[in-house]
Amino acid sequence: RYLKTMRSRGLQDRCHALVGYSHDVAAVVADRVGVLIIDGNHELESVARDLALWAPKVLPGGFILLDDHTDTYPGVVQATAEFLHDSSQFRLLHQSYFAILQRS
């Protein structure tokens, strides 16, 4: 259904379905991501690993959206805070249920 929808909207060359864990498929994705949505395992180590693997692929001016950025999921909140503390390339634009980061 996903593939049919992408074809019907002419997006088959822009949207690609990857089946697997984020750390397993990161290597096959080109380093030119405009919008990255992280919505996986909510544990600190997993979110931190996703940020470490995927953030370098985000283009300058591009965005990272971290889902479930709430007190219910402290691993997401902590990993985001640590990533921002250690990275001079990203800044926090918005923080609610999503944390929205932009690459400079």
Side-chain angles (χ1 to χ4, degrees):
R1 183 174 180 199
Y2 170 83
L3 295 174
K4 182 179 177 183
T5 300
M6 292 301 104
R7 280 191 296 272
S8 73
R9 290 176 171 75
L11 298 172
Q12 66 275 9
D13 294 331
R14 303 190 88 185
C15 298
H16 303 282
L18 297 173
V19 179
Y21 292 105
S22 60
H23 58 272
D24 291 332
V25 298
V28 301
V29 175
D31 294 342
R32 50 187 172 85
V33 175
V35 177
L36 171 66
I37 301 172
I38 296 179
D39 182 18
N41 185 317
H42 296 78
E43 298 299 320
L44 170 63
E45 296 79 16
S46 181
V47 179
R49 179 175 52 191
D50 281 346
L51 284 166
L53 286 171
W54 289 89
K57 296 177 176 295
V58 175
L59 293 167
F63 300 92
I64 298 175
L65 286 72
L66 290 118
D67 190 33
D68 298 322
H69 190 273
T70 67
D71 292 338
T72 305
Y73 301 104
V76 176
V77 175
Q78 184 178 347
T80 303
E82 290 176 5
F83 175 77
L84 287 168
H85 179 268
D86 295 340
S87 174
S88 61
Q89 296 182 11
F90 286 86
R91 65 187 175 106
L92 179 67
L93 294 181
H94 178 77
Q95 183 174 310
S96 60
Y97 193 78
F98 275 94
I100 302 174
L101 316 181
Q102 185 175 30
R103 187 170 193 173
S104 55

